[in-house]
Amino acid sequence: MHEMAITQSIVDAVVERVGTARVTRVGLQIGALSGVEADSVRFCFDVVTRDTLLEGASLQIARPVGSGRCRDCGDRFRVDDPLPVCACGSVDIEVTGGQQVRVTDIEMEAAADVRNVRL
Ligand SMILES: [Zn+2]
């Protein structure tokens, strides 16, 4: 499963950064055009984090919408379709957003205090 591998790499990257601190919250961006299902990632997250420092951490997923720019007329617009067409009729569209899958922030518990790390 595609999402399982993605979630595993996200969790590995977080573990690498936090060392031995217990993670309480992970913030993710999963672009609307990334082809990654947020619900599947949520499910995989619970499985992958079992017996790790992320176990029980809450997962917050933002879904940025897609955006693009027409290479013919220069127009910028919202993209909901993987194969966008510009209002001018061109299909030569540069997708400029909505394809990302990334960790935006991690919250962890270091003994008594909670630190916030921005990546
Ligand atoms: Zn155009």
Side-chain angles (χ1 to χ4, degrees), residues 70-75 77 86-90 93:
C70 177
R71 288 196 180 95
D72 285 323
C73 73
D75 202 10
F77 48 90
C86 180
C88 76
S90 173
I93 311 300

Side-chain angles (χ1 to χ4, degrees), residues 3-86:
E3 275 81 3
M4 190 60 93
I6 289 168
T7 309
Q8 183 69 61
S9 67
I10 289 168
V11 169
D12 288 348
V14 171
V15 166
E16 205 168 284
R17 273 165 205 267
V18 298
T20 58
R22 178 159 285 280
V23 175
T24 52
R25 197 179 71 82
V26 176
L28 285 185
Q29 267 189 359
I30 299 177
L33 300 177
S34 65
V36 176
E37 285 298 326
D39 284 346
S40 302
V41 170
R42 236 175 251 292
F43 170 79
C44 296
F45 187 80
D46 287 342
V47 175
V48 168
T49 58
R50 215 164 278 159
D51 299 321
T52 72
L53 291 163
L54 281 76
E55 186 168 8
S58 73
L59 180 64
Q60 283 181 343
I61 300 178
R63 295 283 276 175
V65 296
S67 55
R69 191 185 68 86
C70 177
R71 288 196 180 95
D72 285 323
C73 73
D75 202 10
R76 291 177 179 275
F77 48 90
R78 179 180 161 158
V79 174
D80 295 309
D81 202 287
L83 294 168
V85 181
C86 180

